[in-house]
Amino acid sequence: MSVLAMMIASIAAVFVSSGAAQASSGWYTPDANATTQDTPAEADFDGHHVVVNRGGSDNALWFDHDNGPFTRIGGTTFTAPAITEFNNQLYLFQTGQDGNVWYQVMGHNAAGQPTWTWSSAREIPGPSGTGVRTTLRPAIASSGNQLHIIVVGNNERIYHAALYPNNSWSGSWTEIPGGARTESGPSATTTPDGWLVVAHRGTNNLMYQQRGFISSGVWDGSWTQLPHGHTSHAPAIAYNGADGRIVEAWVEDDDGDTVMTSESSTWTVDQTNAIHAANNVTSPSGPSLSYEGDGVALGLRGNNFTDVQGDLHMVQNHIYLNLNYYG
């Protein structure tokens, strides 16, 4: 481990909700040579930690697993990707340059281990009449027999579709009700009691969320403003199965810190807590969140870093940071 990585890993924070205490494992960089232009995407796949990002210089997708070196996937995208496990496979989504959504799949070999290779890209047409805004990331969330896809159209409206285990999709997009507009990528998660939860940044830089009941397809019908937070970037949302709560993260406008909130089952915010990145690292992109089996992983695209001697190092796009919270 590098000196930088060891120093980052030594920084810890404690987050206390009305449930159990949650402790930080510290910040670290999985590959000091990796750079990114956007928020990294993370997922747990068969107990392996997988990261996919948009390359720092080539706009191609790259991935690593278990903190190894990044491997180039290829393709071209202008925004962050999204990954999650679905139907015992790992799914990778991106918005294409053509206004459509593209995805790739990773499966298992004969021994039941991940192949660490991706399928060729498959296309899902964007919402009719608007297409997908090519500079905004998609969001995906699994609910057993459906992989939910959330995108932003060129009209700034938020749309939902679903993919099924045979890789057939719902055939059309439905606008999530409530008249929301956003200029950042959405975020989504599912809960064991059957809800799909979507969060977004409003055009007023406040954050909103809405639930849809998966079995009926019925949404709340209006967006609820989160009572805390003001951001210019896309927020992140994830269900933390370790304590049964919805966790949200965003980069706060005031100081660039990442802030997390934990919500109860009644969808009211219990507590907001500022998580300071190590030694003044700030991020020019929103964070990522993913459930890792025993907690929630938080990822950042790094920006500026000041070392312990007080020398300022400008490391634009170069430092990738990750923080785990455990229930």
Side-chain angles (χ1 to χ4, degrees):
M1 180 181 290
S2 68
V3 174
L4 173 60
M6 288 188 292
M7 181 174 63
I8 291 173
S10 69
I11 306 298
V14 176
F15 176 65
V16 180
S17 72
S18 59
Q22 300 183 3
S24 165
S25 67
W27 295 94
Y28 68 95
T29 105
D31 181 351
N33 294 315
T35 61
T36 184
Q37 301 181 61
D38 272 303
T39 304
E42 301 175 82
D44 179 86
F45 187 42
D46 286 356
H48 299 275
H49 184 71
V50 181
V51 180
V52 180
N53 64 23
R54 172 190 174 205
S57 60
D58 61 2
N59 290 324
L61 293 175
W62 295 69
F63 87 103
D64 91 325
H65 62 90
D66 304 316
N67 301 326
F70 276 78
T71 301
R72 192 176 190 273
I73 301 172
T76 301
T77 186
F78 295 145
T79 188
I83 56 172
T84 196
E85 186 172 0
F86 170 62
N87 192 32
N88 201 34
Q89 296 175 303
L90 190 62
Y91 278 70
L92 162 62
F93 273 71
Q94 63 172 312
T95 52
Q97 301 175 74
D98 55 2
N100 298 319
V101 179
W102 294 79
Y103 72 95
Q104 295 167 264
V105 180
M106 177 187 294
H108 298 84
N109 58 27
Q113 298 299 314
T115 60
W116 305 123
T117 59
W118 296 93
S119 71
S120 58
R122 304 166 185 174
E123 181 182 18
I124 296 177
S128 177
T130 176
V132 174
R133 191 164 173 178
T134 60
T135 56
L136 300 184
R137 74 185 186 198
I140 54 176
S142 172
S143 64
N145 64 348
Q146 296 183 56
L147 180 61
H148 303 276
I149 315 163
I150 313 295
V151 300
V152 178
N154 283 309
N155 55 8
E156 298 183 354
R157 298 171 183 262
I158 304 172
Y159 295 89
H160 167 259
L163 193 72
Y164 302 102
N166 61 359
N167 286 324
S168 65
W169 74 293
S170 52
S172 63
W173 297 86
T174 302
E175 183 182 355
I176 298 177
R181 300 290 187 274
T182 185
E183 297 174 344
S184 295
S187 184
T189 191
T190 56
T191 65
D193 54 351
W195 294 97
L196 170 64
V197 187
V198 177
H200 77 278
R201 174 182 75 96
T203 54
N204 56 2
N205 287 350
L206 299 176
M207 290 175 292
Y208 299 85
Q209 70 178 27
Q210 186 175 171
R211 300 179 303 171
F213 199 58
I214 295 168
S215 61
S216 66
V218 176
W219 293 87
D220 287 343
S222 60
W223 294 89
T224 299
Q225 180 190 330
L226 297 179
H228 306 291
H230 196 272
T231 186
S232 301
H233 305 288
I237 187 171
Y239 177 77
N240 183 3
D243 62 9
R245 295 175 181 272
I246 295 289
V247 179
E248 285 156 349
W250 65 92
V251 173
E252 184 69 23
D253 274 347
D254 290 343
D255 54 14
D257 285 330
T258 296
V259 180
M260 300 185 72
T261 70
S262 180
E263 293 197 339
S264 72
S265 59
T266 57
W267 309 97
T268 57
V269 174
D270 292 328
Q271 180 176 337
T272 301
N273 189 66
I275 309 300
H276 297 270
N279 283 0
N280 300 324
V281 172
T282 62
S283 179
S285 301
S288 65
L289 282 176
S290 65
Y291 177 53
E292 298 293 326
D294 55 359
V296 175
L298 168 63
L300 284 176
R301 167 195 175 194
N303 191 1
N304 301 337
F305 184 82
T306 304
D307 73 12
V308 290
Q309 285 79 35
D311 297 325
L312 180 63
H313 296 266
M314 304 295 288
V315 204
Q316 185 81 20
N317 297 339
H318 193 72
I319 301 175
Y320 168 74
L321 303 173
N322 178 278
L323 180 63
N324 287 312
Y325 280 85
Y326 301 94

